[in-house]
């Protein structure tokens, strides 16, 4: 057994019943009961709400406290702010992706332009009989080129 006591009943029962083959059938029933306990609470809450609506003779007659009304307004405001922030974040991500793509495109264009200028310089040097006089030496090569 464990030196520390389990804080939850389901944990305690699982630790003591799950591994025991003689208690396997009992454990499956206990598991079912533990899971249904949460459903039972939900059902009870729904029943209380339903009974209150009936006692008020309809939903339109249910009195909502000022505190509940304020809580709902705050919830809606927070929900609205969350939606706005999410949309603003997504817009910013789109802008940053577009900028990244533009930077990558500009860098690639500059590399191609640089290679073309160096190639033109090499051709001029060759025509003038001045081979290998380029300030940078050989032309830059793409990855994988010998």
């Amino acid at each position: 057994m464990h030196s520390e006591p389990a804080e939850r009943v389901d944990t305690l029962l699982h630790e003591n019943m799950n591994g025991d083959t003689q208690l396997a059938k009992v454990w499956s029933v206990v598991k079912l009961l533990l899971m249904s306990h949460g459903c039972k609470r939900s059902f009870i809450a729904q029943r209380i709400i339903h009974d209150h609506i009936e006692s008020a003779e309809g939903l339109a007659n249910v009195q909502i406290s000022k505190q509940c009304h304020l809580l709902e307004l705050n919830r809606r405001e927070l929900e609205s702010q969350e939606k706005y922030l999410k949309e603003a974040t997504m817009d910013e991500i789109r802008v940053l992706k577009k900028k990244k793509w533009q930077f990558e495109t500009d860098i690639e264009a500059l590399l191609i332009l640089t290679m073309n200028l160096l190639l033109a310089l090499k051709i001029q040097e060759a025509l003038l009989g001045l081979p290998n006089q380029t300030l940078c030496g050989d032309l830059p090569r793409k990855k994988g080129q010998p």
Side-chain angles (χ1 to χ4, degrees), residues 25-115:
K25 288 182 180 179
V26 175
W27 170 241
S28 63
V29 172
V30 169
K31 251 188 348 186
L32 184 63
L33 289 172
L34 288 171
M35 288 189 291
S36 70
H37 181 69
C39 296
K40 182 180 174 185
R41 289 164 122 192
S42 175
F43 176 76
I44 291 171
Q46 289 176 14
R47 188 67 202 176
I48 290 170
I49 292 168
H50 177 268
D51 290 347
H52 181 71
I53 291 170
E54 278 191 352
S55 71
E57 297 179 357
L59 187 59
N61 298 328
V62 173
Q63 295 294 317
I64 299 174
S65 71
K66 186 175 181 177
Q67 183 181 10
C68 286
H69 185 67
L70 289 174
L71 285 172
E72 177 61 17
L73 289 176
N74 285 340
R75 186 194 65 77
R76 287 182 184 179
E77 179 64 25
L78 288 173
E79 198 173 80
S80 176
Q81 288 176 359
E82 182 181 330
K83 183 179 178 184
Y84 171 78
L85 289 173
K86 187 175 183 178
E87 289 174 1
T89 302
M90 295 306 293
D91 288 343
E92 184 66 21
I93 288 170
R94 280 190 285 278
V95 167
L96 291 172
K97 283 182 177 180
K98 186 176 180 182
K99 284 182 180 181
K100 177 187 174 206
W101 177 83
Q102 189 61 53
F103 284 140
E104 289 172 347
T105 304
D106 290 348
I107 289 170
E108 189 174 325
L110 288 171
L111 286 172
I112 290 170
L113 179 63
T114 302
M115 288 177 61

